[in-house]
Each structure stands twice: as structure tokens, then as C-alpha cells.
């Protein structure tokens, strides 16, 4: 923001510029609603994609540095750029322009980038006096795709939600977690239908422990299974973090983020 | 044979190969070789006798190959097969396919290349076993999951520590015993030392203590901490406050650390000195940049507003740098400021330009005060964004931060053309409204002021729904 402010200030004597700036500031809010959502810029996407495939972190750091100068913040990178990059890596494997070893390594680097950019790490001061229930994000045992759930956790934390992130979740560990504390929601990230049976068991287990805690299911499985709620018994299935938070009664002041940790489509029981 | 895309092996170089020998060769050069019909039915399977893949592929014969593939690979195979069959000349890239798990074999990936064999549209698929790579991938994923778990556990411990420190009524300062530098501290310690947290982290304790005290504070603290009895030591800060420090020594991952519990020696709360708190609050939250420098211009501390003006993310990267690096005329500016402030104690106003970390320049006004901090001389510089001040002085409507944020958010959500069109509309409407207002709704005069014909003005008034006012004429 400072940069544009300064561009305006250098022309402080230019009344037309002042009028234009005022007009822009007047118009801007009206054009930032609904379908007018800032899309990832192709130039940065392609630079990031190339940097992910190169050894070393210098290239990636340079691109991130450039994006910061362009006022593209960490949250936007995590919310908008990382999911697109993950999709592109998947597409590259499907088209055999990248082998799966390269895709695996690039995905791991992408996941590390999400961790690095996670804003909520410095949030603990806010934890004092906060008695709101946390949200459990679980990845069922055997599910190896954890990038989506990592992004989801990062997004929730950026929105001020306390998250218990449980990898390799099984019924026993879920039961243990739910007896230890109450959750506003249990969110299960499932990447493929190979893990649907365990997901169904986890939903049943969660409901047995607390029927009032909604179980929300998401992940790549939503693209493959149409009757996901019937099959798993989950209360809600969604691609949208905002939708999930609303369903779970967790207020958010930020705009909903398009499908990241959860795959596309919203299914309500 | 293709060598780097060039054919170097012509058919005449080798004699015709017997069919059974061809079979033998194929079974040796590939881990898995499939003869597949144009419809994707497996006609024959050859597996390499040296391969570690479990046998049992013969049951694939007569079955669609797609039935043996994972859900992520079916469409990929069908698409690539169709592309290969539809165009004789097309060079189909090798395709990586995941075979689904069976009762006696786990899911496994194979990279297949496609080859025509000239009979009834059938093709040969030579497969390379990718399980060794997949196993490495599994190890990587397992390591990644372990890292994620560690990260979450660390987050939990970190939160507990921070909550403990934040709620403590005593100041807590963690220091490296080896370097004497402060590694972490809580809010009470920040208040007791009258510094910002950023200033304390990375600094040594002695930097904040009054001259004339124990010159080797760190050694004294380490000795006291190492003794059997619990002892306190009293230290005086540069602002003259006496602090009681109780050091404890411990080891963390091999490094010896000191935890110092800090309290006010007078027994009063650190919060009791309201002026200190107010000044600290002003420094931390004030809208103007505040920088403390020494005689040489080296930055001792800088507040968040200065970070904003210079677009520096981390205050640590500012400390130790020379303020001249950020001034438009560099050392010339610094010399003028320091000489004037030294001569009269303060320099009320000095105008120059501030150069940000990314090269953006803004006009600033700097007020400088010379302070005597113990034996050393320190200058305090208060920097104000002059362009903003100028706007206020001219009594013009100011562009607020919220307005500017809106503008920045707008870029990228609309094309330039769209933004310009919308902006033009708003400008037109604003100008017409102003003109109508200025002329007391005299539309002839308004049109004249705007350089428009009356007809054009009427069209625009209608366009912007401004016709409801009755004309004065």
C-alpha cells in the first residue's frame, strides 16, 4: 500500500491526480465484492512453478520477495497461489510433463513454503484468556496427501481459529482427542476414495463421542464421490473454508477462500 | 535406434530376429511388457525374470488394462492410447500409470512407453518399474508427516511457554550464557527496561544498563547462577531504574542459557511509572517514525512507524545500519542534522527525502533532539511523512489508508480498462455535481465550466441520475 500511496504523494500538487485517487478510492469498494476477486497473477504463478522444480531455495525466496514488494501478502500466497500450483503439479503428472518423483519433491517444497508463510505462528499472545473451542483437522491414517490439509490449517489459523492438527488419525486417536477437549468441528481431509471406509469410521466415532460436534469432510474425494454424505455419514462436505466455518458456527470476517484444503463442491446434509 | 533424437541404427545393420528371441529381449529390456489391443484389452504379458515384482500378471490377459489401474490413471491411459492410435506420426510421451492393489500385491507405479508392432492395431507397452522411486516417495512422505507432527508439538510447547511468560508478574529474560545476548523476554521485562521487545532481543544486557556499574554483568550473573545459594543482584538501567535480577542457569539443546527473573528493586510495579509507559506506547504506536542514533549515525533503535516509512520488515535489519543510508542526501543530511542538533540541543525542522528499502523515496520532515545518555550522545529523530503533512496543510480531503487499501485491492480484480471506465464515470459525476453545485444548478454555466455543450451535459445528467434538481435558469 505504501508504494502506491507514495506514487500519489509525489504528485501532491497535481489536482487531477488527487481527484483520480479519490475517485479510485470511491470506486474500489464497489468493485471488490462478489465476482470481483483478485486472481493469482500468471507471471508469479509461472515463476513459482519453475522455482519449485529447481534445487535450492534461492529461486523460491526471490519470487516470494518479489511478490511481497508487489504487496501480495502471505495469506494471499497461501490462499490463492499455492492451491493453483498444487493443481498444476497434478496436471503436469497427468500429462506426463513431470514424473511423479519431481511432483512429490515440488509438493513437499510447496508444503514447506506454506509452513514458512504461516502467519499464525506468532499468535500465542492471543491465546491468553481465549476459551473458544478449537477445531480438529484430521488426516485419516494412510492418507499421504497432506498439502491440502496443511493449507486448510494455515487458513483457519489466519482466521483466528485454534486448530488441533492430527495426522494419521484413527478412531482411537480421535476418541482420545475428543475426550481431552471439545471441538467446534471435526474436519476430515480425505484425498481419495481409497480412504472412504476409514473416513466413515471416523465420522461414526466422532458422532459417538459427541453428536453435537459437526463433522465436515473435504479433500480430493469430493471430486470422485457424489454421495459423500450418505456414504460417510458426515454432516457437511465443502470446498470452502468460509462455508465450513459458517456451518460450524465459527464466525469469520474474511472472505471465503476457494477450495484448497477441501476440494470443490459444497454438499449439505 | 534413436540417439538424442537422431536415427543411427538402420534396419540393415542387424539380421532378422527370431520371434522367440524377440520375446526374450523384450522380457529383459522391460520390467513389464504388455501387448494391448486397440481397445485396451491385454493380449499378452511378459514380465522380466529379474524383476522383483510378484508374478501373477497372466490373469490380466483378456481383461481391459484399465481394470488394473488406479482411479487416477484410467483416464490418463485411455487418453494417451487414443492419441497413439489416432495419429501414426505422433510421438506419445511415456506415461506413468498407477496399478491398483490386488490381494497379493500393493499398488505400484509403472512408466510405459508405446510401440507399434504392426498387427491389427495392437501395440506393445514397455513398462519400467517405478517402485524404487515410489518407496523413496513413501519415505519422504513419512518424514514429512513426522515433521508436521513435530511442528504441531513444538507449537503446543511454544504456546504454553508464551502464555506462561505473558501472565507472569515478573520480568523474564532468556539469555545465551556464551554470548550474553537476550534470546527472549516477556512483556514485563520490556516495560522494566523501558525498551521495545525488538530492541531487547539480540542485544546484551549491558547495553541497557547505566555506566559505572559492573562492567562484566554477564560473568557476575553466571557466577551467581552457578552458586548453590539463591542470590539476587541489583542493576541500574540507563533510565535510572534499579532492577532486582535473579539468574538461573540451565542447558537447552547443549547451549548454556540464563533465565533472569527481573523485578523492580523499589518494589513498585513496573507499570507504576506512567511516563515510561506513555513514552514506550508513543514509540511503539506513534504515527511518526522515531529513530535513536549515536553520534556516528548508527541506528540504535527504531519504531514500527519508521519500519513502515522505509518498508523494512524486521527491525533487526535496521539496527546497526547508518541512518545516512536512508536519507536522500546521505551523509550530507546526517552531518547537517547532527551538527545543528549538537550546537543548539535540537533541530526543529529539516526537510529531506527518505529512501525506502525498495528504493521508493518520500519527502520527510525531521525533528532532531540531542540526548545525553550516560557517557554517550544519542540523537532522537522524529520523521514525518511531509507529503501527508502537506496535504493536511492545504486543507484538502485526505486519502485515507482505508481508501488506499481499497485501491490496492482493486488492482488485479478488474482490467485497467474496466477500472478506467468506472473511474471516468465517477470523475465525470463528481465534476458535474461540483459544477452544478458551484453554479447553483445553472446548467448553462455548468456546461460552460465543464467545457461541454448543454446537450452533452443533459445527457450526462440523465446518465448519472442528476436531473431531479430543478435548473436555476
Amino acid at each position: 500500500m505504501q508504494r502506491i500511496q507514495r506514487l500519489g504523494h509525489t504528485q501532491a500538487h497535481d489536482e487531477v491526480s488527487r481527484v483520480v485517487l479519490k475517485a479510485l478510492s470511491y470506486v474500489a469498494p464497489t468493485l471488490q465484492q462478489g465476482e470481483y476477486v483478485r486472481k493469482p497473477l500468471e507471471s508469479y504463478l509461472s515463476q513459482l512453478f519453475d522455482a519449485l522444480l529447481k534445487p535450492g531455495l534461492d529461486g523460491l525466496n526471490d519470487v516470494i520477495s518479489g511478490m511481497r514488494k508487489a504487496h501480495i501478502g502471505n495469506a494471499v500466497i497461501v490462499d490463492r497461489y499455492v492451491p493453483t500450483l498444487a493443481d498444476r503439479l497434478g496436471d503436469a503428472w497427468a500429462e506426463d510433463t513431470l514424473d511423479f518423483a519431481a511432483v512429490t519433491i515440488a509438493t513437499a517444497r510447496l508444503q514447506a513454503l506454506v509452513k514458512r508463510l504461516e502467519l499464525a505462528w506468532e499468535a500465542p499472545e492471543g491465546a491468553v484468556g481465549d476459551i473458544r473451542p478449537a477445531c480438529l483437522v484430521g488426516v485419516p491414517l494412510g492418507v499421504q496427501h497432506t498439502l491440502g490439509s496443511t493449507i486448510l490449517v494455515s487458513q483457519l489459523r489466519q482466521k483466528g481459529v485454534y486448530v488441533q492438527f492430527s495426522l494419521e488419525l484413527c478412531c482411537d486417536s480421535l476418541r482420545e482427542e475428543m475426550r481431552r477437549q471439545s471441538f467446534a468441528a471435526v474436519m476430515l481431509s480425505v484425498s481419495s476414495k481409497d480412504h472412504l471406509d476409514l473416513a466413515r469410521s471416523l465420522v461414526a466415532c466422532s458422532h459417538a463421542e459427541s453428536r453435537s460436534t459437526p463433522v465436515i469432510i473435504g479433500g480430493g474425494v469430493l471430486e470422485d464421490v457424489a454421495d459423500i454424505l450418505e456414504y460417510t455419514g458426515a454432516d457437511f462436505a465443502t470446498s470452502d473454508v468460509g462455508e465450513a466455518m459458517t456451518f460450524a458456527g465459527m464466525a469469520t470476517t474474511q472472505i471465503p477462500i476457494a477450495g484448497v484444503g477441501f476440494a470443490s463442491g459444497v454438499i449439505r446434509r | 535406434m534413436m540417439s538424442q533424437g537422431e536415427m543411427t541404427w538402420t534396419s540393415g545393420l542387424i539380421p532378422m530376429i527370431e520371434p522367440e528371441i524377440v520375446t526374450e529381449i523384450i522380457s529383459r529390456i522391460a520390467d513389464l511388457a504388455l501387448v494391448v489391443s486397440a481397445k485396451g484389452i491385454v493380449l499378452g504379458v511378459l514380465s522380466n525374470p529379474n524383476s522383483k515384482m510378484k508374478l501373477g500378471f497372466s490373469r490380466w490377459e483378456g481383461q481391459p488394462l484399465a481394470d488394473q489401474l488406479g482411479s487416477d490413471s484410467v483416464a490418463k491411459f485411455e487418453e494417451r492410447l487414443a492419441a497413439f492410435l489416432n495419429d501414426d506420426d505422433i510421438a506419445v510421451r511415456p506415461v506413468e500409470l498407477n496399478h491398483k492393489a490386488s490381494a497379493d500385491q500393493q499398488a505400484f507405479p509403472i512408466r510405459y512407453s508405446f510401440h507399434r508392432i504392426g498387427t491389427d492395431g495392437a501395440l506393445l507397452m514397455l513398462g519400467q518399474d517405478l517402485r524404487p522411486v515410489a518407496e523413496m516417495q513413501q519415505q519422504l512422505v513419512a518424514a514429512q508427516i513426522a515433521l508436521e507432527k513435530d511442528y504441531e508439538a513444538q507449537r503446543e510447547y511454544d504456546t504454553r511457554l508464551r502464555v506462561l511468560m505473558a501472565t507472569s508478574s515478573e520480568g523474564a529474560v532468556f539469555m545465551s550464557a556464551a554470548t550474553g545476548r537476550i534470546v527472549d523476554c516477556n512483556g514485563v521485562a520490556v516495560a522494566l527496561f523501558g525498551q521495545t521487545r525488538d530492541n531487547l532481543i539480540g542485544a546484551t544486557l549491558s547495553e541497557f544498563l547505566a555506566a559505572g556499574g559492573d562492567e562484566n554483568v554477564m560473568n557476575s550473573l553466571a557466577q551467581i547462577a552457578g552458586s548453590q545459594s539463591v542470590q539476587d543482584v541489583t542493576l541500574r538501567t540507563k533510565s535510572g531504574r534499579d532492577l532486582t535480577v535473579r539468574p538461573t542457569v540451565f542447558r537447552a539443546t547443549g547451549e548454556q542459557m540464563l533465565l533472569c527473573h527481573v523485578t523492580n528493586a523499589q518494589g513498585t510495579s513496573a507499570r507504576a511509572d506512567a511516563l515510561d509507559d506513555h513514552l514506550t506506547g508513543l514509540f511503539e504506536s506513534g504515527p511518526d517514525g522515531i529513530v535513536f542514533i549515536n553520534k556516528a549515525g548508527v541506528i540504535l533503535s527504531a519504531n514500527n512507524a519508521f519500519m513502515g516509512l522505509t518498508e523494512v520488515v524486521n527491525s533487526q535489519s535496521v539496527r546497526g545500519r547508518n541512518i545516512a543510508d536512508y536519507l536522500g542526501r546521505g551523509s550530507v543530511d546526517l552531518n547537517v542534522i547532527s551538527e545543528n542538533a549538537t550546537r543548539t540541543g535540537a533541530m526543529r525542522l529539516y526537510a529531506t527525502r527518505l529512501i525506502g528499502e525498495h528504493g521508493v523515496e518520500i519527502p520527510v520532515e525531521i525533528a532532531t533532539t540531542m540526548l545525553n545518555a550516560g557517557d554517550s550522545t544519542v540523537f532522537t529523530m522524529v520523521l514525518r511523512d511531509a507529503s501527508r503533512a502537506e496535504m493536511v496543510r492545504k486543507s484538502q480531503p485526505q486519502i485515507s489508508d482505508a481508501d488506499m487499501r481499497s485501491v490496492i485491492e482493486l488492482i488485479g480484480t478488474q482490467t485497467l480498462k474496466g477500472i478506467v471506465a468506472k473511474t471516468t464515470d465517477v470523475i465525470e459525476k463528481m465534476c458535474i455535481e461540483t459544477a452544478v453545485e458551484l453554479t447553483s444548478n445553472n446548467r448553462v454555466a455548468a456546461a460552460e465550466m465543464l467545457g461541454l455543450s448543454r446537450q452533452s451535459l443533459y445527457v450526462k445528467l440523465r446518465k448519472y441520475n442528476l436531473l431531479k434538481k430543478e435548473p436555476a435558469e
Side-chain angles (χ1 to χ4, degrees):
Chain A
M1 187 186 70
Q2 294 277 0
R3 176 175 295 181
I4 289 183
Q5 233 170 6
R6 284 160 193 182
L7 287 174
H9 291 162
T10 58
Q11 302 170 6
H13 298 288
D14 185 341
E15 298 301 325
V16 175
S17 296
R18 191 189 304 282
V19 172
V20 168
L21 274 172
K22 187 66 187 170
L24 278 169
S25 67
Y26 177 81
V27 170
T30 68
L31 294 177
Q32 287 166 30
Q33 294 160 5
E35 69 270 36
Y36 299 117
V37 175
R38 189 197 290 256
K39 294 186 179 72
L41 299 172
E42 184 53 45
S43 59
Y44 288 121
L45 279 171
S46 55
Q47 284 181 55
L48 284 169
F49 191 86
D50 292 344
L52 284 170
L53 298 171
K54 286 179 185 162
L57 287 173
D58 288 351
L60 204 52
N61 289 340
D62 288 347
V63 183
I64 295 295
S65 174
M67 293 175 78
R68 288 210 175 107
K69 284 180 193 169
H71 297 277
I72 299 170
N74 290 355
V76 174
I77 295 173
V78 172
D79 292 342
R80 310 263 181 226
Y81 285 79
V82 172
T84 308
L85 289 164
D87 286 347
R88 289 190 179 185
L89 289 170
D91 291 346
W93 178 79
E95 292 160 10
D96 283 297
T97 51
L98 282 180
D99 60 41
F100 82 91
V103 171
T104 301
I105 292 167
T107 306
R109 290 159 67 89
L110 201 52
Q111 193 157 335
L113 178 66
V114 173
K115 280 291 171 210
R116 192 151 61 88
L117 298 179
E118 191 175 290
L119 302 175
W121 181 254
E122 295 295 338
E125 274 94 13
V128 178
D130 196 322
I131 54 168
R132 286 176 300 163
C135 166
L136 186 142
V137 174
V139 181
L141 184 67
V143 174
Q144 295 190 329
H145 297 287
T146 54
L147 175 61
S149 53
T150 305
I151 295 170
L152 171 65
V153 168
S154 182
Q155 287 176 329
L156 287 168
R157 284 177 175 158
Q158 283 166 21
K159 291 170 189 295
V161 177
Y162 290 92
V163 181
Q164 169 76 42
F165 188 24
S166 295
L167 292 155
E168 299 184 317
L169 191 67
C170 61
C171 283
D172 286 345
S173 54
L174 177 61
R175 199 174 293 121
E176 194 179 320
E177 292 289 358
M178 293 188 75
R179 287 178 185 175
R180 204 159 58 91
Q181 60 175 316
S182 63
F183 292 106
V186 170
M187 298 187 185
L188 299 177
S189 179
V190 185
S191 57
S192 80
K193 54 187 178 186
D194 297 339
H195 305 99
L196 270 185
D197 288 340
L198 178 53
R200 183 166 54 184
S201 302
L202 289 169
V203 173
C205 182
S206 175
H207 283 164
E209 287 299 316
S210 167
R211 193 61 193 87
S212 61
T213 304
V215 181
I216 304 170
I217 200 159
V221 72
L222 266 65
E223 292 173 357
D224 299 334
V225 182
D227 55 348
I228 188 84
L229 295 185
E230 284 69 24
Y231 193 87
T232 60
D235 301 298
F236 193 54
T238 182
S239 63
D240 189 309
V241 176
E243 285 273 353
M245 289 176 67
T246 303
F247 184 82
M250 295 181 286
T252 174
T253 54
Q254 297 189 21
I255 54 169
I257 304 301
V260 180
F262 288 0
S264 58
V266 175
I267 307 165
R268 192 185 295 267
R269 177 171 282 277
Chain B
M1 172 156 302
M2 302 292 282
S3 172
Q4 295 181 335
E6 192 179 351
M7 187 74 82
T8 61
W9 191 5
T10 57
S11 58
L13 278 176
I14 53 171
M16 292 295 289
I17 304 171
E18 296 295 328
E20 55 272 23
I21 296 176
V22 170
T23 306
E24 170 71 8
I25 291 172
I26 288 173
S27 74
R28 296 284 177 174
I29 61 174
D31 293 310
L32 188 64
L34 306 175
V35 178
V36 177
S37 75
K39 290 185 176 177
I41 307 295
V42 179
L43 303 176
V45 182
L46 277 174
S47 63
N48 192 324
N50 296 325
S51 168
K52 291 178 182 171
M53 284 192 290
K54 288 182 181 172
L55 299 175
F57 297 113
S58 57
R59 66 169 181 270
W60 291 9
E61 287 183 8
Q63 305 292 320
L65 180 58
D67 287 356
Q68 310 302 328
L69 299 177
S71 57
D72 56 356
S73 297
V74 174
K76 188 176 176 182
F77 166 65
E78 289 172 347
E79 185 184 308
R80 211 58 58 81
L81 177 65
F84 183 75
L85 294 172
N86 287 342
D87 191 342
D88 287 346
D89 297 328
I90 193 167
V92 173
R93 288 189 299 275
V95 58
E96 286 183 3
L97 300 175
N98 289 322
H99 285 277
K100 64 184 180 186
S102 61
D104 55 352
Q105 185 143 278
Q106 289 186 324
F108 59 97
I110 300 278
R111 179 187 287 130
Y112 289 104
S113 55
F114 290 70
H115 308 273
R116 294 177 204 285
I117 49 177
T119 55
D120 303 332
L123 63 143
L124 175 66
M125 293 173 63
L126 293 179
Q128 179 191 354
D129 182 9
L130 294 180
R131 285 180 309 162
V133 184
E135 281 162 14
M136 285 175 60
Q137 184 208 22
Q138 300 290 313
Q139 290 174 26
L140 177 63
V141 169
Q144 200 166 24
I145 288 175
L147 271 176
E148 289 289 343
K149 286 181 171 178
D150 285 351
Y151 177 85
E152 290 301 309
Q154 186 189 346
R155 186 184 180 84
E156 180 75 34
Y157 291 130
D158 189 78
T159 304
R160 287 179 196 167
L161 173 67
R162 295 210 169 275
V163 169
L164 180 66
M165 287 175 67
T167 54
S168 170
S169 57
E170 289 186 344
V173 180
F174 288 97
M175 292 185 293
S176 162
T179 64
R181 297 201 177 277
I182 296 170
V183 176
D184 201 357
C185 63
N186 66 356
V188 178
V190 168
L192 286 167
F193 280 100
Q195 298 288 329
T196 65
R197 181 179 156 78
D198 282 344
N199 285 350
L200 286 171
I201 305 295
T204 59
L205 205 57
S206 54
E207 291 177 41
F208 307 107
L209 301 178
D214 187 347
E215 291 193 354
N216 204 336
V217 177
M218 200 61 208
N219 278 352
S220 303
L221 290 174
Q223 279 178 5
I224 293 168
S227 66
Q228 295 296 315
S229 58
V230 178
Q231 290 183 50
D232 293 343
V233 60
T234 301
L235 303 173
R236 175 163 290 179
T237 66
K238 280 184 173 169
S239 60
R241 173 183 284 163
D242 288 332
L243 301 177
T244 302
V245 178
R246 177 178 299 172
T248 306
V249 68
F250 67 100
R251 278 196 184 277
T253 60
E255 185 186 7
Q256 204 169 49
M257 303 277 293
L258 280 181
L259 166 61
C260 292
H261 291 279
V262 186
T263 52
N264 197 325
Q266 280 80 41
T268 52
S269 161
R271 302 274 175 203
D273 189 343
L275 181 59
D276 272 9
D277 281 354
H278 297 164
L279 288 173
T280 302
L282 173 67
F283 182 79
E284 289 177 347
S285 311
D288 292 332
I290 302 175
V291 186
F292 292 93
I293 59 171
N294 66 13
K295 276 179 86 170
V298 174
I299 296 174
L300 305 173
S301 50
N303 69 348
N304 289 333
F306 181 78
M307 305 293 154
L309 288 170
T310 51
E311 294 189 326
V312 174
V313 178
N314 186 352
S315 67
Q316 296 296 316
S317 57
V318 170
R319 288 183 61 206
R321 286 185 62 175
N322 199 297
I323 189 68
D325 295 347
Y326 296 101
L327 299 176
R329 294 184 288 269
S331 56
V332 175
D333 279 336
L334 176 61
N335 289 338
V336 173
I337 291 169
S338 59
E339 282 172 16
N340 278 282
T342 304
R343 194 166 57 245
T344 61
M347 185 176 191
R348 192 176 295 276
L349 187 67
Y350 182 78
T352 185
R353 301 188 78 78
L354 195 70
I355 304 171
E357 200 75 341
H358 305 313
V360 178
E361 293 187 19
I362 52 167
V364 288
E365 294 170 351
I366 304 174
T368 307
T369 310
M370 188 181 75
L371 307 173
N372 287 315
D375 296 336
S376 56
T377 300
V378 171
F379 294 100
T380 309
M381 300 171 80
V382 178
L383 300 95
R384 176 164 291 173
D385 184 341
S387 55
R388 187 175 287 269
E390 186 181 355
M391 288 174 76
V392 174
R393 284 170 195 144
K394 291 178 87 176
S395 301
Q396 293 288 347
Q398 201 173 347
I399 306 298
S400 69
D401 283 353
D403 287 342
M404 288 314 303
R405 202 172 297 120
S406 298
V407 174
I408 289 163
E409 293 298 323
L410 178 62
I411 307 301
T413 61
Q414 289 274 293
T415 62
L416 177 61
K417 198 175 174 183
I419 294 170
V420 169
K422 290 277 185 184
T423 309
T424 304
D425 284 354
V426 172
I427 292 170
E428 274 194 348
K429 189 182 177 195
M430 282 170 59
C431 293
I432 291 167
E433 277 182 316
T434 307
V436 168
E437 190 74 28
L438 283 173
T439 58
S440 300
N441 206 17
N442 183 329
R443 290 174 184 172
V444 177
E448 194 175 358
M449 281 177 73
L450 292 165
L452 295 171
S453 67
R454 281 183 66 183
Q455 194 175 6
S456 294
L457 177 62
Y458 269 96
V459 169
K460 289 183 186 298
L461 286 169
R462 185 173 287 112
K463 178 181 174 185
Y464 298 119
N465 199 25
L466 296 172
L467 269 177
K468 55 191 173 195
K469 290 182 182 175
E470 288 298 320
E473 64 212 54

